[in-house]
Amino acid sequence: MSFSSLVSDITYKDRDLDDRRSLVSRARSYASTAATSVSISGDIASQLHGGYSHPLARAWQAERQLTKSMLIYPLFVSDNPDDETLIPSLPGQYRRGVNKLVPYLTPLVRKGLKSVILFGVPLAPGSKDALGTNADDPKGPVMSSIRLLRRSFPSLFIVADVCLCEYTTHGHCGILRDDGGLNNALSVDRVSDVAMAYAEAGAHCVAPSDMNDGRIRAIKLKLIEAGIAHKVVLMSYAAKFSGCLYGPFRDAAGSCPSFGDRKCYQLPPGGRGLARRAIQRDINEGADIIMVKPASQYLDIISDAKDIGQNLPVAAYQVSGEFAMIHAGAKAGVFDLKAMAFEATEGILRAGATIVVSYFTPQFLDWLSN
């Protein structure tokens, strides 16, 4: 029983109190069933096979200098199949429809591209609602892209970002209460359903970026219940900080909140202790990889993540604002683009990351020999 199948009316605010309590009760019932199966197979943190089921995931277990296999390239996939639109605030980056993906990626794969992370961008009228219903639409941009890329590039490792912000009318990362705050229980059940849909469509890795409490455990439980936890990597945005560096991304994904901000669920800048707690929590809940975001501004947190999760790969996301600032500095003649890109990325690796999500990936494929 999934959250999606429980919802027949997409306007959550129109439900009466009894209906809401019923939804929460039934969601908890599902979690109890899944928890029973885990108690039989062992503690949730004992589920390790998914983290090294794929050859690239096995390579990520090692520490080394910057190589092509360490890089994950972000792709914005719109629901217009023939879309190819430049994103003004992200130099050289585009929103692309599924019909444009293979022609674009083919030369990159030949150069050594190993992994991409997919972000869906619904643009069609009526494609957003209060519950983010289209996030797991089988014909939507993410699931269509997963299936296409699996067929076209069998060796490409596909990561699917899991969040609702691109698909909700309010732009927040979950389902809201009447007062505008996040309903954590319903948000987690919805996000975990979306993660399951992406995994079943063929994603090698699901990466929840919503920052709702308990979503790693909920996803891991459902992966186990479905019998696919052994072959799906669960990458947690464990320490994702709020701030101004996401502006170009939100332009690209159309995910700006329509009111308020995300400071009550993304971590506060300077919240090092809170970040350490979040990292430890997500490790305990079954994450195979932990991620820090943004990257260059939080080298101390990357170091902490390596210390706390010393037996796990650590990823770092060079976010859109970091990428745009480096480009702006190079354009102004302050520094050389290639030199600064290398310096920033190698700083992230020295801090302890072994995986880098970077918009510089196409350039690195040219700059790196292996």
Side-chain angles (χ1 to χ4, degrees):
M1 180 67 70
S2 68
F3 180 82
S4 300
S5 66
L6 297 177
V7 179
S8 60
D9 179 354
I10 65 172
T11 309
Y12 171 70
K13 293 183 180 180
D14 289 343
R15 292 188 175 276
D16 61 32
L17 186 59
D18 288 340
D19 284 341
R20 298 180 196 181
R21 287 173 175 164
S22 174
L23 285 174
V24 174
S25 174
R26 293 164 76 182
R28 287 174 179 165
S29 174
Y30 179 89
S32 298
T33 302
T36 301
S37 72
V38 176
S39 69
I40 295 171
S41 61
D43 182 79
I44 195 167
S46 72
Q47 308 297 302
L48 304 181
H49 289 173
Y52 58 95
S53 60
H54 190 278
L56 184 61
R58 290 194 287 276
W60 284 342
Q61 307 298 320
E63 297 181 24
R64 57 193 179 280
Q65 297 300 311
L66 178 59
T67 63
K68 295 176 182 180
S69 62
M70 302 179 74
L71 300 166
I72 302 176
Y73 184 36
L75 294 176
F76 299 97
V77 187
S78 81
D79 56 2
N80 176 354
D82 296 311
D83 188 17
E84 194 163 38
T85 303
L86 180 66
I87 303 163
S89 55
L90 268 176
Q93 307 302 306
Y94 288 75
R95 283 193 300 266
R96 290 183 169 89
V98 291
N99 291 345
K100 300 294 184 177
L101 288 180
V102 172
Y104 174 66
L105 290 176
T106 295
L108 298 182
V109 171
R110 287 174 181 159
K111 291 178 182 179
L113 178 66
K114 303 296 185 184
S115 181
V116 296
I117 182 168
L118 304 176
F119 297 91
V121 186
L123 301 173
S127 59
K128 301 186 181 190
D129 58 50
L131 298 174
T133 303
N134 284 333
D136 51 358
D137 178 359
K139 297 181 180 179
V142 172
M143 295 177 70
S144 297
S145 297
I146 292 170
R147 293 189 293 269
L148 173 65
L149 296 181
R150 286 295 300 261
R151 292 193 306 269
S152 304
F153 307 108
S155 64
L156 187 66
F157 188 86
I158 302 166
V159 184
D161 178 85
V162 184
C163 196
L164 301 183
C165 60
E166 302 103 315
Y167 301 92
T168 54
T169 47
H170 46 72
H172 283 280
C173 301
I175 297 170
L176 302 184
R177 300 180 183 276
D178 288 340
D179 64 3
L182 279 180
N183 185 318
N184 196 84
L186 295 183
S187 297
V188 164
D189 202 49
R190 179 79 186 105
V191 165
S192 58
D193 275 353
V194 174
M196 281 298 303
Y198 294 169
E200 290 174 337
H204 298 103
C205 174
V206 290
S209 59
D210 56 293
M211 292 298 288
N212 284 289
D213 288 335
R215 87 271 198 221
I216 300 302
R217 180 175 176 82
I219 294 170
K220 196 74 164 188
L221 288 171
K222 290 185 180 181
L223 290 170
I224 294 168
E225 193 81 355
I228 58 174
H230 66 288
K231 62 179 182 180
V232 178
V233 179
L234 178 50
M235 184 192 304
S236 167
Y237 287 70
K240 180 180 179 181
F241 290 86
S242 62
C244 61
L245 291 173
Y246 305 132
F249 174 92
R250 292 173 184 172
D251 290 344
S255 62
C256 289
S258 61
F259 66 91
D261 52 47
R262 297 172 178 154
K263 293 179 180 178
C264 289
Y265 45 99
Q266 293 180 355
L267 301 180
R272 186 173 186 178
L274 191 56
R276 292 177 65 91
R277 289 166 58 195
I279 291 165
Q280 187 64 67
R281 176 199 65 190
D282 288 1
I283 292 172
N284 292 342
E285 291 186 1
D288 298 305
I289 299 171
I290 49 178
M291 185 194 292
V292 176
K293 179 182 180 182
S296 299
Q297 285 72 22
Y298 290 96
L299 299 181
D300 57 337
I301 308 300
I302 295 173
S303 179
D304 285 349
K306 188 59 179 175
D307 177 55
I308 298 167
Q310 54 188 280
N311 299 316
L312 276 75
V314 174
Y317 197 142
Q318 259 182 343
V319 300
S320 58
E322 296 175 75
F323 176 77
M325 285 193 296
I326 291 173
H327 265 274
K331 186 176 180 179
V334 177
F335 44 68
D336 177 73
L337 180 68
K338 179 180 177 180
M340 191 60 188
F342 265 99
E343 182 177 339
T345 306
E346 288 173 344
I348 294 165
L349 302 183
R350 285 192 298 270
T354 54
I355 303 164
V356 183
V357 183
S358 176
Y359 299 96
F360 281 113
T361 296
Q363 288 99 319
F364 275 124
L365 296 177
D366 291 325
W367 296 335
L368 294 170
S369 60
N370 58 28

